[in-house]
Structures are given as C-alpha cells and as structure tokens.
Amino acid sequence: MYGGLPRYLVLNGGRFLGPRWWHTTRFTRHLIADAAAINDAELEALLRYEWRSRLTAGWLIGVDRRERFRARIGDLLLASEVCYSGGAYCFALARFGTHADADILTAYLDHYLPRTDLHYDQPAALGALLSLDAHHADRFTEPGGLWDEWVKGVGRLGYPNYTPR
C-alpha cells in the first residue's frame, strides 16, 4: 500500500510520475528496490495471473530492465488478453530500448491500429515507439496514416479524448 492505495492502482494511474503526490519518492524507492529483489520465477508467476499482477510485473521488469522477458512481454502485448497491463508492457519495452523492442511495438501497431473498433494500448505503444525510434514510427504518424485513421474510428466509438483532427 502506498498513500492508501494498492501498488497496481498507483502504477496504473501514473500519479507517482508527478512531483505533486507526496508519496512519490517513497513509492519510487520501493519500486526500484522490489524490482531488483524479485526473482524471475516470481515475475513469471505474476505474468500468468490477472491484469493487476501482470501490470505490476511489467513495471518491475521494465524498472530492472530484465531484457530476458522481452519475448514474453511481446507475446502478452500482442495477445492483449487482459485490460490495463499493456501500458506496463510498453513501458518495459521502452526501457529495454533496442531495435528488437521497436519491432515488437511496430508489430503491435500494425495489428491493432487497423482495428478502429478497439481501444486497447495503441496510445501507449505509439508513445513507447516514439521514445525508442521516432523514425520507426513515421509511417504510423504521417497525416492520413494508420494513427489518424484509428483516432477517427475510436472517436466514433464515443471516446471523448480521441477527437479526429
């Protein structure tokens, strides 16, 4: 518990990323320590459960840069079996920071951006790809490209934050 909230809720909300939350330093310190302390078998167990444990595992893997989980994270991201955890997978891939990670994110975007009926982790995946390799992301972000088409499609689903340009 951090600031009265379970870790997964703090991670999912991102409030620890801003300086205004007074638990930020303490939470981040604990997250870094726990990421170093957890073993691979425990992380693998967390990745087999529901979204809360998968989200937490994704962040711990990313914080500690456990690149040996790259393929597993990529498979889970592409499968999109549960809600909320995809952003943590994208964070982990961005933290790894290699071309292989950009390839995984590109495969995800190739698969899910044409699906204008789905609002999954497309924004997190594109953000992670942009942070890794903006040139790699060009084909998604060009005017009239897959991103623009996805935004228009999601806008028709009634998501107020995704208004067509």
Side-chain angles (χ1 to χ4, degrees):
M1 300 293 283
Y2 296 91
L5 297 171
R7 174 182 280 169
Y8 71 88
L9 282 179
V10 177
L11 289 169
N12 194 43
R15 68 190 305 179
F16 70 99
L17 297 170
R20 292 186 187 173
W21 190 49
W22 71 283
H23 295 282
T24 295
T25 301
R26 181 173 161 248
F27 178 84
T28 305
R29 209 175 282 135
H30 283 262
L31 185 65
I32 292 167
D34 290 347
I38 193 168
N39 66 47
D40 287 355
E42 292 167 328
L43 285 169
E44 191 56 52
L46 288 174
L47 291 172
R48 285 193 295 269
Y49 297 115
E50 40 67 70
W51 71 270
R52 294 164 193 85
S53 61
R54 290 183 185 194
L55 178 143
T56 302
W59 274 93
L60 293 170
I61 288 166
V63 166
D64 204 45
R65 290 191 170 133
R66 304 260 183 116
E67 292 186 37
R68 58 193 158 276
F69 283 92
R70 176 181 288 112
R72 180 82 165 107
I73 291 288
D75 290 345
L76 290 170
L77 178 63
L78 194 56
S80 290
E81 298 170 331
V82 297
C83 60
Y84 303 117
S85 57
Y89 306 151
C90 292
F91 165 76
L93 294 169
R95 283 280 291 171
F96 299 160
T98 70
H99 290 293
D101 306 301
D103 289 343
I104 292 168
L105 293 162
T106 298
Y108 176 86
L109 292 167
D110 280 335
H111 185 79
Y112 285 103
L113 281 180
R115 295 293 312 270
T116 58
D117 59 323
L118 299 177
H119 180 252
Y120 286 176
D121 299 296
Q122 293 93 328
L126 184 59
L129 182 59
L130 285 166
S131 75
L132 282 174
D133 184 351
H135 179 70
H136 216 86
D138 282 349
R139 68 185 181 89
F140 298 113
T141 59
E142 64 188 15
L146 280 174
W147 179 255
D148 281 351
E149 290 305 311
W150 181 78
V151 168
K152 288 176 191 171
V154 173
R156 287 190 292 273
L157 294 176
Y159 291 101
N161 295 332
Y162 293 95
T163 307
R165 292 185 224 172

